[in-house]
Amino acid sequence: MLESKVVQTVSLCQELRAENDLLRQQLAATEEVRKGLSERMESARSRLEQLARQLPEAKATV
């Protein structure tokens, strides 16, 4: 009985380690995607700010 419980515990521990490794890999991949998207957003923001500076100033008509 005790041996069976030990075997189950070891098996569960191995499964959880494998799942944990997979989750770490997925997290790392997701972080890379997030980093790339963040860089693209920053680049787009810079381009928009540059374009906005090139727009002629609006004259107030009162």
Side-chain angles (χ1 to χ4, degrees):
M1 181 78 166
L2 178 60
E3 182 180 347
S4 173
K5 292 288 185 183
V6 170
V7 169
Q8 285 179 333
T9 302
V10 169
S11 176
L12 179 60
C13 187
Q14 289 172 340
E15 289 176 26
L16 290 174
R17 280 192 177 132
E19 182 180 3
N20 203 16
D21 288 342
L22 178 61
L23 290 171
R24 282 191 180 113
Q25 291 171 6
Q26 290 174 344
L27 179 61
T30 301
E31 282 296 316
E32 285 298 315
V33 170
R34 185 201 61 77
K35 182 180 175 186
L37 291 173
S38 181
E39 289 170 357
R40 287 177 60 194
M41 284 177 49
E42 180 61 28
S43 176
R45 184 188 65 75
S46 294
R47 287 193 310 263
L48 284 172
E49 287 177 350
Q50 183 181 17
L51 288 172
R53 285 190 297 268
Q54 293 174 4
L55 291 174
E57 292 293 321
K59 295 182 180 178
T61 55
V62 179

